[in-house]
Amino acid sequence: MQHPHPHLRSRPIAAGQLRAFEAVARHLNFRAASEELSLTQSAVSRQIQSLEEDVGVSLFLRHTRAVELTSAGAQLLRAVLPSLERIDGVVRMIRQSAGRKSVAISTWASFASMWLIPRLEAFQREHPDIDIRIDATDTPVDLETTDVDLALRYSMPASVPAQARRLFGEQLTPVISPWLLKSGPRLQNAQDLARFALVEASDAHRTQHMEWLSWQRWFDMQGLRRFEPKRWLYFNYAHQIAQAALTGQGVALARMPLIAESLASGDLVEVLPDRRMDSPMAYWLIVGPRNAARPEVQAFCSWIEAQAAQTREAIGDVPPAAPAR
């Protein structure tokens, strides 16, 4: 039966109507649907009738002892069923996580993949009851208004808030894969780098602070004003630069805190260890003021700072002296 309307209704369909429709469509029986929904059969019938009026067509063919979906009803069911399943799945997840302890961290992708994630398993062993969520983004988040508990950032000291905790500083150093070092041209001094492909951040010359990551600045420190390597390789992210070096594609000017583990394991070799270049950049822990007192956030911060101490020792980082007050 059609429900002709000179002007079809445009208001949203009520969720209760869709629940009743889905139950009746699944059982093809009003009585079974009413028992499942804990409603009277007449209440379910009214929900279906109201839905059919809002849609403008009949959704069921009502026989004496059976119910059958119309073509419009079958079309609507194909849209309703997965939508309700997704909603129910999300609600189950929210209910399961309610009351659980969790820590949400914002950081950038290279730091997450190269430094944080390889260490997380140790934290999970110590704190199996704390869930961890990592949001990898280069865009700073407002810790006062978002649901993020803390941020791990890479910045100049003057650009971080007063409450930021310094984790470690940074030096840049040329690194290479051991097999390329053995099979490639001789590499004993800075001039020998001309025989290799050099790997660099593609945006190293676009902003002032990123220029500290450039080969050109490193060359200037060595007194090599005009220097052309075999070829250049440019990548957007630090983990891509490190991966290019690990796979023998060239020599990378890498950030010591991010490749310290690869140097310790022998996966990368520091070819000119006496030519490290200091960077004014540092790595920071910033804790949101709304969540700083939560025990799970404090536990994670303590763990992060302990891990940072190990990195400082591995790279020989000495924090700058605090200014006199």
Side-chain angles (χ1 to χ4, degrees):
M1 171 181 175
Q2 298 290 325
H3 295 270
H5 293 283
H7 300 287
L8 290 178
R9 298 185 184 186
S10 59
R11 69 184 184 188
I13 301 299
Q17 295 176 358
L18 296 177
R19 288 285 182 190
F21 167 74
E22 187 272 338
V24 173
R26 182 159 33 84
H27 292 288
L28 293 178
N29 185 289
F30 278 81
R31 180 182 58 78
S34 65
E35 290 176 355
E36 177 183 307
L37 298 171
S38 299
L39 296 172
T40 65
Q41 189 169 333
S42 60
V44 172
S45 296
R46 286 195 298 272
Q47 290 271 35
I48 298 301
Q49 183 179 1
S50 179
L51 176 62
E52 289 176 326
E53 290 175 354
D54 283 348
V55 173
V57 297
S58 293
L59 302 173
F60 295 98
L61 298 175
R62 295 157 175 83
H63 306 294
T64 304
R65 297 183 179 275
V67 176
E68 181 184 353
L69 279 167
T70 64
S71 60
Q75 183 180 0
L76 181 60
L77 182 63
R78 286 194 292 272
V80 168
L81 193 57
S83 299
L84 291 179
E85 288 175 347
R86 284 196 297 271
I87 292 171
D88 289 341
V90 170
V91 170
R92 282 194 299 271
M93 183 177 66
I94 293 172
R95 285 172 175 169
Q96 290 169 0
S97 63
R100 290 182 62 87
K101 292 185 288 185
S102 65
V103 179
I105 303 116
S106 172
T107 189
W108 71 106
S110 290
F111 189 76
S113 62
M114 298 178 71
W115 192 90
L116 180 58
I117 293 175
R119 292 167 167 78
L120 267 184
E121 195 270 334
F123 179 82
Q124 298 283 265
R125 284 200 313 267
E126 296 175 23
H127 303 278
D129 59 330
I130 298 178
D131 297 333
I132 298 297
R133 190 188 88 212
I134 298 175
D135 293 335
T137 175
D138 292 334
T139 304
V141 299
D142 187 346
L143 296 178
E144 294 188 2
T145 59
T146 64
D147 62 349
V148 173
D149 299 310
L150 56 92
L152 300 168
R153 288 297 172 210
Y154 175 67
S155 181
M156 297 272 197
S159 302
V160 296
Q163 75 273 17
R165 310 178 199 177
R166 183 184 183 276
L167 297 177
F168 35 79
E170 180 174 77
Q171 288 182 314
L172 285 299
T173 190
V175 297
I176 192 173
S177 72
W179 71 264
L180 180 58
L181 182 62
K182 292 177 182 178
S183 62
R186 185 185 64 173
L187 208 173
Q188 295 180 328
N189 54 54
Q191 288 82 355
D192 291 339
L193 288 169
R195 302 187 180 102
F196 292 83
L198 297 186
V199 188
E200 180 174 78
S202 59
D203 53 357
H205 304 283
R206 296 180 186 175
T207 61
Q208 182 177 7
H209 82 269
M210 291 299 289
E211 284 188 1
W212 286 97
L213 309 180
S214 70
W215 274 108
Q216 186 57 57
R217 186 175 290 275
W218 188 87
F219 293 146
D220 290 345
M221 290 187 62
Q222 316 310 316
L224 301 173
R225 299 298 177 182
R226 294 184 178 180
F227 192 92
E228 283 300 326
K230 180 180 178 181
R231 64 176 175 274
W232 290 100
L233 285 173
Y234 298 102
F235 295 96
N236 288 344
Y237 298 104
H239 65 271
Q240 296 171 337
I241 293 172
Q243 187 63 31
L246 285 164
T247 54
Q249 297 182 48
V251 182
L253 188 62
R255 308 179 191 182
M256 281 292 296
L258 302 185
I259 50 93
E261 297 295 322
S262 295
L263 292 177
S265 66
D267 292 333
L268 287 175
V269 177
E270 187 179 10
V271 290
L272 300 168
D274 58 336
R275 303 294 181 91
R276 292 182 184 179
M277 179 175 68
D278 290 325
S279 163
M281 306 294 287
Y283 298 76
W284 306 87
L285 167 63
I286 307 170
V287 185
R290 295 185 299 122
N291 303 306
R294 283 172 37 214
E296 58 268 33
V297 173
Q298 292 179 343
F300 191 84
C301 289
S302 296
W303 176 81
I304 280 285
E305 291 183 296
Q307 295 294 314
Q310 296 178 17
T311 297
R312 288 196 300 273
E313 182 178 359
I315 65 176
D317 174 54
V318 179
R325 295 183 181 275

